[in-house]
Amino acid sequence: MIHNNKIFRFLTAVLGFTMLLAGACTKIPQEGSIAPDIIYKNRKQFAISGLQQNIGDFQPSTSTLPLKFEIAEIREPGGKPVSALSDEIPVIRYKEAIVGNESAEELALKSDTVMVPAVGINEYTGVLEIQEGNRIPAGEYHFDIQVSNKSGVRLLKDALVVEFKETDILSWSPGMAKQPEIERVGDTPNQIRFVGYLDGQPLPGDYIDFTKDRAAGFKGTFVDDTDDGEIWNVNFPVKQSDTYATWKMVTEVGGVEQVSYEAYNFNFVIGIPGSYVVRLYK
């Protein structure tokens, strides 16, 4: 029994020594440290020019909080200027709680208009804050972001890469022949001309129709049906707009024209004001 007790004490001492060595080999972050593996989750992101968006899910790992964030540099590898990202945008900030039944005059008293950069960073969370009304050209922008705490500073090169597009088609009916197309044709007026194509041939404006009193879709005012499309005045930006268009289909049966109607929907966004043509294909 005494022999067994000696063996037990010996094994216990060896185990304790082994655990001590293991602990000595494990790097425990000191207070105020910035972890070597800090990173943004999903580094590549997409945005629509002109629209508001928050981007960035920062992974602090074992870094000591709080962290502070700052944009160190922005680059566009294609050579586009980056000045539009620092342009100041007027933004309404509310200084009092909003109840919900305020008049326009009451809302004005509860708010201030401040000027902020088109793209900034939340210094506490690291989230990129893109303001509505920006005029950022389409392109791929690389953000170097500086991260700091009381222990020091780390510079993350290409921490986030944001690809901006000025327009986007999000979805379209399977009954359409192909994806709708959006083309910017001028800075003014703030209009969209919708052109329907049947078997590759453009139709007059009165062959497609958008319901004026619709719950979803772009917000605009009908202007005219012309030989080269249906024209609408539009308030930009056009946010996600699941829009329904009714097509007039004319066929000939036994020498007699038959008219029928088919409805199709498509979801699109346009960020920057201007004059656009949207082509729909059937």
Side-chain angles (χ1 to χ4, degrees):
M1 178 64 70
I2 294 174
H3 178 70
N4 289 339
N5 284 339
K6 287 182 178 179
I7 294 175
F8 176 76
R9 286 196 298 270
F10 174 76
L11 292 175
T12 301
V14 171
L15 178 61
F17 182 69
T18 302
M19 293 177 66
L20 182 62
L21 285 177
C25 295
T26 301
K27 293 183 178 179
I28 301 174
Q30 300 300 309
E31 184 179 1
S33 66
I34 299 180
D37 58 343
I38 56 175
I39 195 172
Y40 277 90
K41 184 178 180 181
N42 300 326
R43 170 176 163 269
K44 178 67 181 287
Q45 296 284 329
F46 298 88
I48 300 295
S49 303
L51 296 184
Q52 187 276 338
Q53 190 170 340
N54 292 332
I55 288 176
D57 182 6
F58 186 74
Q59 311 291 295
S61 184
T62 56
S63 301
T64 302
L65 304 179
L67 295 171
K68 186 176 180 180
F69 299 84
E70 180 182 345
I71 297 175
E73 186 180 356
I74 305 173
R75 298 180 303 281
E76 207 290 327
K80 291 186 174 67
V82 299
S83 57
L85 285 80
S86 58
D87 286 346
E88 293 201 327
I89 306 290
V91 174
I92 295 176
R93 302 286 194 214
Y94 289 99
K95 53 190 178 182
E96 296 181 36
I98 303 302
V99 178
N101 58 354
E102 290 89 350
S103 65
E105 293 77 14
E106 289 171 329
L107 284 175
L109 290 173
K110 290 185 174 184
S111 65
D112 283 328
T113 299
V114 298
M115 304 299 291
V116 300
V119 180
I121 193 167
N122 186 302
E123 64 175 329
Y124 305 109
T125 65
V127 173
L128 287 184
E129 298 175 342
I130 303 170
Q131 303 299 329
E132 184 171 308
N134 69 76
R135 296 295 188 103
I136 299 171
E140 183 179 274
Y141 297 88
H142 293 235
F143 292 79
D144 294 348
I145 295 176
Q146 179 176 286
V147 185
S148 62
N149 63 10
K150 61 184 180 181
S151 74
V153 177
R154 281 276 305 280
L155 179 63
L156 301 181
K157 300 282 289 184
D158 289 338
L160 283 170
V161 177
V162 183
E163 182 178 338
F164 280 82
K165 296 193 290 184
E166 295 180 2
T167 68
D168 198 13
I169 300 290
L170 304 177
S171 63
W172 63 95
S173 291
M176 290 183 168
K178 65 176 183 175
Q179 176 178 330
E181 299 172 349
I182 303 176
E183 179 187 2
R184 181 182 175 89
V185 295
D187 294 335
T188 58
N190 289 345
Q191 288 185 340
I192 298 178
R193 176 165 55 90
F194 294 93
V195 184
Y197 285 76
L198 181 62
D199 298 328
Q201 298 301 312
L203 301 173
D206 59 0
Y207 271 68
I208 58 173
D209 181 61
F210 299 93
T211 306
K212 295 181 183 180
D213 299 321
R214 60 193 185 280
F218 67 93
K219 307 306 177 187
T221 304
F222 174 74
V223 176
D224 194 14
D225 282 324
T226 68
D227 289 341
D228 57 355
E230 180 169 302
I231 300 173
W232 288 72
N233 287 334
V234 178
N235 295 322
F236 290 93
V238 175
K239 300 178 182 180
Q240 288 196 29
S241 299
D242 193 12
T243 300
Y244 282 81
T246 302
W247 291 61
K248 183 170 88 172
M249 310 294 292
V250 180
T251 56
E252 188 172 303
V253 179
V256 179
E257 281 192 348
Q258 303 289 327
V259 178
S260 61
Y261 296 89
E262 298 179 8
Y264 300 94
N265 73 304
F266 60 103
N267 196 345
F268 70 108
V269 290
I270 301 177
I272 298 178
S275 181
Y276 293 85
V277 176
V278 176
R279 298 180 177 89
L280 309 173
Y281 298 91
K282 176 68 179 78

